[in-house]
Amino acid sequence: MAEPSPQKALSVYLYIPNIIGYIRIIMNCVAFALCYSNKTLFAVLYFFSFFCDGLDGWFARKFNQVSTFGAVLDMVTDRVSTACLLAILSQLYRPGLIFLSLLGLDIASHWLQMYSSFLSGKTSHKDVKDKSNWLLKAYYGQRLFMAFCCVGSEVLYIILFLIADNQSESVLDACLNALKQSSLLSLTLFVTLIGWAIKQVVNIIQMKTAADSCVLYDMKRSK
């Protein structure tokens, strides 16, 4: 198989969705650098970077610039930014183990899903048509449903970051205090909590089904 020319490789790096991915990384770096000194600016930059996650996918389909590099760049950016925010929340609330557990679940489920997809010869970890679980199929098959879960999860984490005080406190106490302050905030917390909860269930199912795929691959290879 012939090696791709440097010009061809460069063109992939300069795809519009990949350029958006680079901008997302810069925004996240700036956001986390300022997260303690300017919470509002952090929230704006972080959420806009998250919004661009859907934007780059639209550009990829619009201009036929879908690439494996772009998909990996997109996923790595998502996982790292969420992991960093969860790590910060683990320092702001007690017990911090809650957020560290969510961090571990997020990374483990997506890593197993990516690896099992690779073993199955799939081009995307979102290809779950051969899976039997209806929720996993709905999550990856319905863009609006997936968007609701992802947006809900990220917005919930941003809200928790914004309402945290300087002293470590219980997550439940912080949420109860926030509910007393504003009916709009209460509604937002309720809606985002639903999306967050569904996403965590999907992560658990995804991790289990991906692990099963790896075991099945080993069984077939040993025959």
Side-chain angles (χ1 to χ4, degrees):
M1 183 176 179
E3 290 289 331
S5 65
Q7 290 79 10
K8 180 63 176 179
L10 181 61
S11 68
V12 174
Y13 283 117
L14 295 179
Y15 278 178
I16 294 176
N18 295 343
I19 292 176
I20 294 175
Y22 308 145
I23 295 174
R24 288 187 64 202
I25 294 174
I26 294 172
M27 283 193 294
N28 279 325
C29 289
V30 174
F32 283 105
L34 301 174
C35 65
Y36 291 112
S37 59
N38 194 328
K39 283 188 171 184
T40 302
L41 181 58
F42 165 82
V44 171
L45 289 173
Y46 185 92
F47 184 79
F48 189 68
S49 171
F50 176 73
F51 171 77
C52 289
D53 181 28
L55 193 64
D56 62 5
W58 183 86
F59 273 104
R61 293 184 293 273
K62 176 71 173 179
F63 296 102
N64 193 28
Q65 293 185 338
V66 177
S67 64
T68 302
F69 169 73
V72 173
L73 176 67
D74 183 58
M75 184 177 178
V76 169
T77 302
D78 289 342
R79 302 282 68 77
V80 171
S81 57
T82 301
C84 289
L85 181 52
L86 286 170
I88 291 175
L89 290 176
S90 73
Q91 301 300 309
L92 298 177
Y93 291 99
R94 52 180 172 80
L97 183 60
I98 293 176
F99 297 101
L100 293 179
S101 298
L102 291 172
L103 190 162
L105 174 62
D106 187 57
I107 293 178
S109 65
H110 283 84
W111 167 254
L112 274 169
Q113 180 68 4
M114 282 286 289
Y115 198 78
S116 66
S117 298
F118 170 76
L119 291 177
S120 302
K122 298 177 181 177
T123 57
S124 172
H125 71 284
K126 296 180 181 179
D127 183 358
V128 294
K129 290 189 283 294
D130 60 332
K131 306 298 183 182
S132 60
N133 187 274
W134 64 270
L135 184 57
L136 193 62
K137 287 183 177 180
Y139 182 79
Y140 282 116
Q142 303 296 326
R143 291 187 182 276
L144 288 178
F145 180 55
M146 183 180 182
F148 168 73
C149 296
C150 292
V151 171
S153 183
E154 295 296 332
V155 170
L156 178 63
Y157 294 150
I158 293 174
I159 292 175
L160 289 176
F161 175 77
L162 291 175
I163 65 176
D165 59 21
N166 294 326
Q167 296 181 343
S168 178
E169 62 177 331
S170 166
V171 179
L172 182 59
D173 290 342
C175 290
L176 291 176
N177 290 333
L179 293 178
K180 298 175 184 177
Q181 296 176 11
S182 168
S183 56
L184 178 60
L185 181 57
S186 301
L187 178 61
T188 304
L189 277 173
F190 177 74
V191 173
T192 57
L193 188 61
I194 294 175
W196 170 86
I198 296 174
K199 191 174 188 301
Q200 305 318 307
V201 173
V202 169
N203 278 341
I204 293 173
I205 295 173
Q206 178 174 258
M207 185 165 59
K208 176 61 169 61
T209 56
D212 289 342
S213 296
C214 291
V215 171
L216 183 61
Y217 176 82
D218 284 333
M219 293 173 64
K220 291 179 177 179
R221 190 175 60 172
S222 62
K223 289 182 179 179

